[in-house]
């Protein structure tokens, strides 16, 4: 039997009232992550892929962690700076731009990654895939009135030669 929760989550993700619950959802997800030592998240309960991204603060240099929905693309993780439809990019995007080396935790396992922000045609192609994966990004982009930054997180050791 197929899990119906991802389809339900995707449908709810296109409802504007969900954006008003952002603070509560983020708070509850952080507590759930702490209680389960990273093995369970609200996004994960909904049957969607989630990770905990730890970046270095661009000003403080201190570790900063955020639970995020991600789009799996081969062995890479694609994350979107939607910030729940707010007009500004989330802090973690500024941190990744300043310090692209980060860590992701998926199902309780930590993995070093390197971030690369998508631009131009590469962004456009990924944006289409992201909208199919999570239609709510379209609503969040419209509400925010900005392009949502998209980053590819590549596990260390899988970096293409530059």
């Amino acid at each position: 039997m197929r899990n119906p929760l991802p389809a339900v989550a995707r449908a709810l993700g296109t409802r504007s009232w969900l954006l008003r619950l952002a603070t509560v959802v983020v708070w509850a997800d952080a507590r759930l992550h702490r209680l389960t030592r990273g093995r369970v998240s609200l996004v994960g309960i909904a049957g969607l892929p989630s990770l905990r991204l730890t970046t270095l603060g661009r000003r403080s240099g201190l570790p900063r962690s955020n639970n995020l929905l991600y789009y799996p693309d081969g062995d890479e993780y694609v994350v979107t700076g939607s910030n729940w439809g707010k007009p500004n990019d989330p802090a973690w995007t500024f941190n990744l731009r300043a310090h692209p080396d980060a860590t992701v935790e998926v199902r309780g396992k930590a993995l070093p990654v390197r971030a690369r922000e998508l631009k131009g045609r590469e962004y456009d192609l990924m944006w289409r895939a992201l909208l199919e994966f999570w239609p709510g990004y379209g609503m969040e982009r419209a509400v925010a009135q900005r392009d949502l930054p998209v980053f590819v997180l590549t596990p260390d050791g899988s970096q293409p030669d530059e």
Side-chain angles (χ1 to χ4, degrees):
M1 179 177 204
R2 193 163 181 216
N3 182 355
L5 291 179
V8 171
R10 285 182 176 93
L12 290 175
T14 62
R15 306 289 191 249
S16 60
W17 56 263
L18 184 67
L19 300 179
R20 293 189 295 275
L21 298 177
T23 304
V24 173
V25 172
V26 170
W27 178 87
D29 200 40
R31 296 321 172 271
L32 184 59
H33 182 273
R34 189 176 308 133
L35 286 171
T36 65
R37 293 188 181 104
R39 291 184 302 275
V40 179
S41 72
L42 291 178
V43 172
I45 290 170
L48 297 167
S50 70
L51 58 77
R52 185 165 182 86
L53 174 67
T54 301
T55 60
L56 288 181
R58 71 184 186 283
R59 293 185 191 142
S60 69
L62 297 174
R64 305 290 186 208
S65 296
N66 300 88
N67 295 344
L68 303 171
L69 170 70
Y70 76 89
Y71 172 66
D73 189 29
D75 64 348
E76 297 178 315
Y77 308 91
V78 180
V79 292
T80 305
S82 68
N83 206 14
W84 292 82
K86 293 182 180 127
N88 53 319
D89 291 349
W92 62 262
T93 63
F94 297 101
N95 294 343
L96 280 182
R97 289 174 184 134
H99 305 286
D101 292 314
T103 303
V104 296
E105 188 177 333
V106 180
R107 292 180 293 282
K109 297 199 187 272
L111 182 68
V113 294
R114 182 153 183 92
R116 180 173 58 85
E117 187 169 5
L118 299 184
K119 301 286 184 187
R121 179 164 165 68
E122 195 175 24
Y123 177 95
D124 295 340
L125 290 170
M126 183 58 74
W127 182 250
R128 284 196 287 276
L130 288 169
L131 285 178
E132 284 183 34
F133 170 73
W134 185 253
Y137 285 143
M139 176 195 61
E140 292 177 67
R141 183 182 192 177
V143 169
Q145 297 182 352
R146 63 179 171 85
D147 286 337
L148 306 183
V150 174
F151 290 84
V152 173
L153 307 175
T154 303
D156 279 357
S158 315
Q159 297 293 327
D161 293 331
E162 295 186 32

